[in-house]
Amino acid sequence: MSISIKTPEEIEGMRLAGRLGAEVLDYITPFVKAGVTTGELDRLCHEYMTNVQGTVPAPLNYAPPGYPPFPKAVCTSVNDVICHGIPGDKVLKNGDALNIDVTIITKDGFHGDNSRMFLIGEPSILARRLAEVTYECMWLGISKVKPGAHLGDIGHVIQQHAEKNGYSVVREFCGHGIGRVFHEEPQVLHYGKPGTLDKLEAGMIFTIEPMINAGRREIKEMPDGWTIKTRDRSMSAQWEHMILVTETGYEILTQSAGTPPPPAIVLPARPAHKEAVQA
Ligand code: MF3
Ligand code: CO
Ligand code: CO
């Protein structure tokens, strides 16, 4: 099997899916605060998808081989939960760090998959820094995307930035190709070596979604069959965008009015201001 190249019609369908997926995160943002339960956030997202967008939550009843059906519409992963947290009666409190991962399916059958971090109240310096470095990791990966680049280039830059900051990269879960299928080829590893693995071509669509741990990289699976935690109980963060490879570079498909801007680390260096140079 190989990586599919999307047709212009499929790309148009994925632009819509990506925007709708991002708009669910915009919608839920003002509700994410101390005192709310993850179950309530799930209910609100589900209602918005169904009643406002006319989309379907891809996670609901999703059951890859070896997994029980996922019981909710979105994933909510708090503090030491790395990914696939199941919304429930957990009440968010001051200082929590939460990832909400939304995947919608449009009426034409295309998937829009993305996630963001939310920090509750006054987060610790560690939580803030971990979320920020993880965001930079995702963006450094995105900035490598162009025809002729290799998947290993993406993984390498993510791993380098995470480890330089004293953090670790989760190995068991990765980004993925996506389209009418939720998870398809390729696997997008968040670690690796430049120049290795598949070569990128215009028309490929995949996610970049690094999971970065403050402590060790090892994971622990919970008995619910889905929730993944850090083995050492350290905090974990994740961000996710869906990316199209274009003729000249990349296009972020999961964009909406509320998409956070790129971090300074990926912006081109600006020349020093004239006065500053003369001084
Ligand atoms: N949205 C997740 C991803 O980024 C997958 C969640 S699968 C679920 O690939 F069943 F847990 F929702
Ligand atoms: Co996702
Ligand atoms: Co994904």
Side-chain angles (χ1 to χ4, degrees), residues 102-210:
V102 165
T103 310
I104 60 88
I105 310 174
T106 62
K107 64 170 172 28
D108 295 328
F110 294 104
H111 289 73
D113 182 7
N114 67 160
S115 81
R116 296 182 196 158
M117 291 300 294
F118 298 85
L119 302 175
I120 311 301
E122 300 107 47
S124 65
I125 298 205
L126 169 73
R128 218 174 309 184
R129 190 165 159 271
L130 179 64
E132 185 176 306
V133 169
T134 304
Y135 190 62
E136 291 173 344
C137 284
M138 175 185 69
W139 263 101
L140 286 167
I142 291 170
S143 69
K144 290 289 168 193
V145 174
K146 62 176 181 194
H150 291 259
L151 282 174
D153 303 349
I154 298 171
H156 176 72
V157 72
I158 291 171
Q159 181 181 11
Q160 219 185 18
H161 192 60
E163 293 180 355
K164 188 180 80 189
N165 282 281
Y167 300 147
S168 63
V169 177
V170 171
R171 302 298 204 272
E172 288 83 353
F173 300 91
C174 57
H176 50 94
I178 184 166
R180 289 181 186 277
V181 175
F182 193 173
H183 296 104
E184 62 182 31
E185 283 190 59
Q187 296 197 76
V188 181
L189 304 180
H190 302 116
Y191 59 93
K193 296 201 190 337
T196 64
L197 305 175
D198 292 280
K199 205 187 254 194
L200 304 184
E201 290 174 40
M204 293 177 177
I205 295 178
F206 51 81
T207 69
I208 299 179
E209 49 180 303

Side-chain angles (χ1 to χ4, degrees), residues 8 19-20 23 40 62 79 106 110 119 207 212:
R19 180 170 61 76
L20 290 169
E23 284 176 353
E40 175 67 2
Y62 183 59
N79 297 338
T106 62
F110 294 104
L119 302 175
T207 69
I212 306 297

